[in-house]
Amino acid sequence: PEIGGSEYLYVVHGLEKGEIPKPRPASELRNARFITEAIRRGLVLSVHDISTGGLAVAILEMAIAGGIGIDVDISNIICRGCSRADEMLFSETQARYVIEVDAKKVDELKALANEMNIDLSMLGKTVDNNVCKLTFKDKVLVQLDLGILKDVYENSLQRYIE
């Protein structure tokens, strides 16, 4: 996990320290080629890079942009050296993506990942109930109404300025 210099450390803990994520140009290129090929084959509904704010922010931004709830279990993440939920949610390690794929095409995506030697973690699904739920080892970490998340995401800066 690489949470040094992350938004999480700064915003939640008030810390500006630690090593920032190491650049991984070979991984970035390999993973970008996988994403490009998955899009070319029509396997991807949407995709988001994991950057500032980590996986949690990427997933929630996708839910907000898509206007649909999510049910995600981060216990399924392939994560070397991670044991805590906050490491998995807020690590800003580069060369990672969140992919939304139609359930009918999951096996095709897995086959492509295997063919291209890409690690792939299946984390959850979209849901029609407008709730964003993140769990870890059967413990609910976050369960929030999509409308509230959208309002905070789209209006918090304006409210702060006012």
Side-chain angles (χ1 to χ4, degrees):
E2 294 179 306
I3 60 172
S6 67
E7 284 293 303
Y8 167 69
L9 277 185
Y10 179 69
V11 172
V12 175
H13 298 287
L15 299 174
E16 288 187 71
K17 66 184 220 175
E19 288 188 38
I20 62 172
K22 295 176 182 157
R24 292 175 171 79
S27 293
E28 188 68 63
L29 187 57
R30 185 177 67 250
N31 292 347
R33 286 182 177 144
F34 167 71
I35 295 294
T36 302
E37 183 60 19
I39 292 169
R40 190 189 70 72
R41 293 186 187 189
L43 303 177
V44 173
L45 295 173
S46 63
V47 65
H48 194 308
D49 69 312
I50 297 176
S51 56
T52 304
L55 175 68
V57 170
I59 288 172
L60 294 174
E61 284 179 344
M62 289 176 77
I64 291 166
I68 193 158
I70 55 166
D71 187 357
V72 170
D73 181 359
I74 64 167
S75 303
N76 299 323
I77 294 174
I78 298 169
C79 188
R80 294 163 191 90
C82 297
S83 59
R84 298 186 339 238
D86 64 336
E87 292 173 324
M88 293 179 200
L89 287 171
F90 301 110
S91 169
E92 295 178 2
T93 299
Q94 298 178 9
R96 300 180 304 147
Y97 297 86
V98 176
I99 304 168
E100 179 188 9
V101 61
D102 187 300
K104 296 175 198 136
K105 297 185 178 185
V106 167
D107 289 338
E108 286 180 73
L109 186 71
K110 286 180 179 179
L112 178 62
N114 188 50
E115 174 187 319
M116 296 183 73
N117 197 31
I118 299 293
D119 289 332
L120 189 65
S121 300
M122 305 308 276
L123 302 182
K125 60 186 177 183
T126 57
V127 292
D128 290 330
N129 63 8
N130 287 327
V131 172
C132 293
K133 182 168 88 170
L134 303 177
T135 58
F136 178 62
K137 297 182 180 178
D138 297 322
K139 179 182 177 188
V140 176
L141 301 174
V142 174
Q143 186 166 334
L144 295 168
D145 178 79
L146 182 64
I148 292 170
L149 287 170
K150 182 176 179 167
D151 179 60
V152 169
Y153 184 76
E154 292 178 350
N155 299 308
S156 61
L157 179 60
Q158 182 64 35
R159 289 185 185 126
Y160 179 77
I161 292 170
E162 294 171 350

